[in-house]
Amino acid sequence: MKRLIDAISQGSCLLNVNATTMDEIVSAGVDYLVQSGRLSESQRQVVVDGILQRERQFPTAIGHACAIPHFYDDRISEQALVFLRLKHAVNLGAPDGIATRYVFFMVGPTTHATEHLDTLSSVARMMSDNVCHFELTYSKNAQDVLDAINRHLTRTVLAKPAKPREVSEGLRSSPKPLAGVKADVLRRLRHYKSDFVDGMRAKSIASIVFMYFACVAPAVTFGGLMGSETDGVMGAGPMLLSTAVCGILYALFAGGPLIILGGIGPLLIFTIILYQLCQDFELSEHFLGVYGWVGLWTSLLTMLLAISNSSNLMRYFTRFTDEIFSALMSMIFIYKAIEALVAGFRSASAAGLSNEKPLLAIVLAVGTFYIAMTLAGLRRSKYLFGWMREFLADFGPSIALGTMVGVAWWLGSAATLDTLEVSAAASERAGWVVDLWGVPNWVKFAAIGPAMLAAVLVYLSQNITARLVNSSENKLVKGESYHWDLMVVGALIGMCSLFGWPWMVAATVRSLAHVRALSDTEEVVGTRGETQEKIIHVHENRVTGLFIHLLIGGSLLALPLLEYVPMAALYGIFLYMGFVSLRGIQFVERLGLLLMDSSLYPTNHYTRRVPTRTIHWFTLIQFICLALLCVVNVFPSQPVRILFPVFIALLVPVRAILSRCFDNEHLAFLDADEAPDDEELHWVL
């Protein structure tokens, strides 16, 4: 590898070479060597003839879009190496069937031929690194190529064997107060400018359009439910305003801008229970004041948790917990969409009406879901040009939503379907400062009790979502920010409490959908032909989060226009987000193994090393934990549902107990952060 680095450092790097055959590739490489003085004119034909003769006998297209043509002869005075990236990939008959785009051209005297195998193995290893593959594709100059190679060496040469999730840099700050906050700010501040520059691309536009509707729909839905349960004191208007303002501030000042803030079910339940308590204590007219005091205490406690580096405790949460939480949040989105569609039939039946309207709603929802999933799958298609596939895949959810809205209006049935109900929200109280001093004095201190539970809920939701977003499988490179982001969320909760707005916290499904919308993916094909989509790069930026919430804020100025969007189409987006978020969760994949013939199991790091019985028992325990959390979320008793964060926290001791029941080495592979580097997989571009 040193030979390759030295060659590129000396300028032996040709990018976007316009060649379509091996003859033209060899000619381009030899021409460069002659022009740079490393080959004489008399040696030109010797090298060309020698390489082409070898290529006819033993083609050097080894796979992974790579070829290594070489020729060693004593008539060549010195060794030389040239890296060529072709403008268009060429089919040179590689064993894996992948067209060749990267060529490592090597020549030299026979005395250096022994070094060839070392260079060959280094290049082959590098080209099997999908992240390096991506970076070489988009390198603009020789320095970018060198940086990509050096990052590859850092990942592989310094990499450790597969084992349970290691403590990440963001969760191992010193115990000194504010140490974690300071480390997060310093880690992320150097990327602040690039966070805006990296967002200036077409993929960002697709992400903004898709995520705008993905964030507006839950905001209006949760806001409407909150308004009905609080007698209109806090509804869709405040929810939209809070989502917009908090989202903009978070995108500008948080360390992890890929996280999307929003209202979540547990916080909605908390607010409803708080309103019911105010009714019980005859404080209904002071609800916003009570809510304000609870929020200020929650804000203070949350910021104290950030100051005291409490996010370091998240090191005890492993993949076991992350997968259960992620699956739960995804299932909530799927459940809410199906529940709303089924409710349409119940309403029609109760009113003695036909099922025409609910059936049309199902058609629109399923149509939106199907089109979005189909277009997203075009990225792996063999048809159309590459840029067309990328465009349709990136804008798939937006195209699906627009198409189904158009179908609804074309059929003339949009007026009869349920649409986003937000016009009435404009008249709701949303922007005045809450009268904190109008409540009885005892309330100001009694508010500490519910605030402690709310702070635990905010802490867990924010940090678990941050862990899922920062998972090594997402290939983020700009660093983590747990403590500072918790501080920012705490401050935003305090601001919302002063204005009587709903509190915002990291929304898991929306955040993961945001990450996937900004990601470049490729398909992994296993030894048995099984396929799996893997993220190879995420365009980390602040632009998408900023504009998503600017558009949400702009919606307040054009609320009637949103009423043209049928809720059924948005339920299709809910289904899409839920099912896409379930992709890649190892727990979900292992559930499929329970019903599969063991002889047909995919070959991966845990099926090769862990007994089948252990895999199934580990999966069943996760499933039982998930089922219990689902029961808690749909439990009719509100006090039980508010204990949701306690049940999430209990997953940590459950995982600790498993260490006493299973072999630790087996658990290490089942709970591994990601698949080890020695997987026998083919990376299909």
Side-chain angles (χ1 to χ4, degrees):
M1 187 59 72
K2 182 179 184 301
R3 182 182 175 188
L4 175 61
I5 293 175
D6 291 342
I8 296 177
S9 300
Q10 296 170 10
S12 297
C13 180
L14 302 179
L15 303 180
N16 297 329
V17 176
N18 195 7
T20 58
T21 64
M22 180 57 76
D23 289 19
E24 294 177 355
I25 294 171
V26 172
S27 178
V30 173
D31 286 346
Y32 172 80
L33 292 176
V34 172
Q35 292 169 8
S36 61
R38 300 183 186 182
L39 284 179
S40 65
E41 283 290 346
S42 61
Q43 295 171 327
R44 177 198 294 268
Q45 199 58 43
V46 172
V47 173
V48 171
D49 293 342
I51 291 181
L52 293 181
Q53 181 179 357
R54 178 178 289 275
E55 286 295 323
R56 285 190 290 270
Q57 295 176 345
F58 308 104
T60 58
I62 63 173
H64 298 295
C66 168
I68 310 180
H70 55 278
F71 179 67
Y72 294 93
D73 192 284
D74 288 333
R75 288 172 289 181
I76 303 174
S77 56
E78 60 176 300
Q79 64 174 341
L81 187 151
V82 183
F83 170 68
L84 300 91
R85 186 184 69 195
L86 305 183
K87 187 174 183 179
H88 302 289
V90 179
N91 185 1
L92 297 179
D96 58 3
I98 300 175
T100 300
R101 192 175 183 190
Y102 311 96
V103 180
F104 297 83
F105 188 87
M106 295 187 293
V107 298
T110 55
T111 53
H112 290 278
T114 55
E115 301 176 10
H116 172 73
L117 290 179
D118 292 336
T119 305
L120 176 63
S121 61
S122 298
V123 169
R125 189 181 305 112
M126 182 180 72
M127 296 310 296
S128 65
D129 178 0
N130 58 317
V131 177
C132 184
H133 219 296
F134 174 85
E135 293 177 344
L136 288 178
T137 301
Y138 292 96
S139 296
K140 298 179 180 179
N141 49 51
Q143 186 58 50
D144 289 348
V145 173
L146 278 176
D147 292 342
I149 295 173
N150 286 326
R151 283 192 290 270
H152 158 74
L153 292 175
T154 301
R155 284 192 302 273
T156 56
V157 176
L158 302 179
K160 297 179 179 179
K163 56 185 179 181
R165 184 191 299 268
E166 295 182 351
V167 179
S168 62
E169 184 181 8
L171 298 178
R172 56 170 183 253
S173 61
S174 73
K176 295 175 59 178
L178 286 174
V181 171
K182 181 180 178 181
D184 288 346
V185 172
L186 293 176
R187 186 183 304 115
R188 288 292 311 189
L189 191 59
R190 63 177 181 269
H191 298 293
Y192 195 78
K193 180 180 178 181
S194 67
D195 282 341
F196 289 96
V197 175
D198 294 344
M200 302 300 179
R201 59 185 70 241
K203 185 179 283 288
S204 297
I205 299 175
S207 303
I208 291 168
V209 176
F210 161 52
M211 290 304 302
Y212 164 69
F213 287 102
C215 293
V216 161
V220 173
T221 303
F222 286 168
L225 181 57
M226 187 178 292
S228 64
E229 295 291 340
T230 61
D231 298 324
V233 177
M234 188 182 296
M239 179 67 78
L240 283 171
L241 187 58
S242 179
T243 301
V245 174
C246 292
I248 290 170
L249 294 176
Y250 192 86
L252 290 174
F253 299 111
L258 295 182
I259 291 175
I260 297 292
L261 298 190
I264 61 174
L267 279 181
L268 171 65
I269 295 169
F270 180 89
T271 304
I272 294 172
I273 293 176
L274 187 62
Y275 184 76
Q276 293 172 348
L277 288 174
C278 287
Q279 288 181 318
D280 294 340
F281 286 94
E282 299 181 352
L283 293 171
S284 298
E285 68 276 10
H286 298 298
F287 169 66
L288 288 179
V290 175
Y291 184 81
W293 277 106
V294 173
L296 290 177
W297 282 114
T298 302
S299 173
L300 177 61
L301 292 173
T302 302
M303 289 193 287
L304 286 175
L305 288 172
I307 292 171
S308 61
N309 309 307
S310 64
S311 292
N312 287 340
L313 295 174
M314 296 304 295
R315 69 180 65 181
Y316 298 109
F317 285 69
T318 66
R319 185 179 191 135
F320 175 87
T321 305
D322 293 347
E323 290 186 332
I324 294 173
F325 186 83
S326 180
L328 175 66
M329 295 297 105
S330 299
M331 290 177 62
I332 287 176
F333 263 68
I334 297 171
Y335 172 77
K336 289 295 182 184
I338 295 176
E339 181 186 43
L341 294 172
V342 172
F345 286 94
R346 292 175 179 170
S347 300
S349 178
L353 302 175
S354 69
N355 290 327
E356 178 182 345
K357 177 180 173 181
L359 283 172
L360 179 58
I362 288 182
V363 170
L364 292 178
V366 173
T368 304
F369 171 73
Y370 177 77
I371 294 174
M373 292 292 286
T374 301
L375 292 179
L378 280 180
R379 186 176 280 111
R380 302 184 299 275
S381 173
K382 300 178 182 179
Y383 302 101
L384 304 178
F385 294 109
W387 66 269
M388 292 180 181
R389 296 195 299 269
E390 288 294 323
F391 176 85
L392 291 173
D394 290 340
F395 284 87
S398 304
I399 294 173
L401 183 62
T403 301
M404 287 298 104
V405 171
V407 167
W409 283 96
W410 176 63
L411 293 174
S413 56
T416 64
L417 290 171
D418 294 332
T419 59
L420 281 169
E421 298 177 1
V422 292
S423 294
S427 62
E428 296 177 6
R429 183 189 184 282
W432 297 276
V433 177
V434 171
D435 180 14
L436 294 173
W437 309 108
V439 302
N441 288 330
W442 65 270
V443 172
K444 302 172 185 177
F445 299 98
I448 299 177
M452 293 175 65
L453 187 57
V456 173
L457 176 58
V458 171
Y459 169 84
L460 289 174
S461 298
Q462 177 67 31
N463 281 302
I464 291 179
T465 302
R467 275 175 57 84
L468 291 168
V469 168
N470 288 306
S471 169
S472 59
E473 294 179 348
N474 290 334
K475 305 296 189 297
L476 304 187
V477 298
K478 293 187 177 181
E480 303 166 334
S481 176
Y482 290 92
H483 312 277
W484 170 243
D485 287 3
L486 189 62
M487 175 79 79
V488 171
V489 168
L492 292 176
I493 289 175
M495 179 195 70
C496 292
S497 303
L498 291 175
F499 292 105
W501 299 344
W503 304 331
M504 297 292 112
V505 72
T508 306
V509 174
R510 278 156 276 182
S511 299
L512 294 179
H514 188 212
V515 171
R516 185 163 287 274
L518 291 169
S519 65
D520 294 299
T521 61
E522 63 183 11
E523 200 170 60
V524 179
V525 182
T527 55
R528 295 183 182 272
E530 69 277 2
T531 61
Q532 184 179 8
E533 192 175 73
K534 291 286 187 180
I535 292 176
I536 60 173
H537 181 75
V538 175
H539 300 277
E540 302 174 62
N541 72 92
R542 297 178 185 271
V543 175
T544 51
L546 179 62
F547 276 88
I548 288 166
H549 294 93
L550 282 173
L551 287 176
I552 293 174
S555 301
L556 293 168
L557 304 176
L559 291 174
L561 295 178
L562 289 178
E563 293 191 346
Y564 290 99
V565 180
M567 284 299 299
L570 293 177
Y571 294 145
I573 294 296
F574 276 33
L575 290 173
Y576 172 79
M577 293 171 60
F579 278 101
V580 168
S581 297
L582 287 174
R583 281 183 176 178
I585 299 180
Q586 184 180 296
F587 162 56
V588 176
E589 296 171 359
R590 282 189 275 105
L591 281 174
L593 300 185
L594 294 172
L595 304 175
M596 187 184 298
D597 183 347
S598 59
S599 64
L600 300 177
Y601 282 0
T603 303
N604 54 44
H605 66 284
Y606 61 87
T607 57
R608 291 189 321 203
R609 298 177 174 93
V610 183
T612 301
R613 182 185 296 273
T614 301
I615 294 174
H616 290 341
W617 275 113
F618 186 83
T619 304
L620 285 173
I621 292 171
Q622 278 188 293
F623 179 77
I624 292 171
C625 292
L626 175 62
L628 289 175
L629 289 175
C630 289
V631 170
V632 170
N633 269 272
V634 300
F635 204 86
S637 174
Q638 298 282 21
V640 174
R641 295 173 69 182
I642 202 173
L643 294 176
F644 172 76
V646 176
F647 285 90
I648 290 291
L650 287 175
L651 293 176
V652 175
V654 170
R655 172 60 180 84
I657 292 173
L658 293 182
S659 298
R660 299 175 178 270
C661 304
F662 298 104
D663 186 281
N664 285 330
E665 183 179 352
H666 295 159
L667 288 179
F669 287 109
L670 287 170
D671 219 9
D673 187 23
E674 60 180 338
D677 291 333
D678 64 346
E679 287 303 304
E680 298 174 1
L681 301 171
H682 302 294
W683 295 91
V684 182
L685 299 182

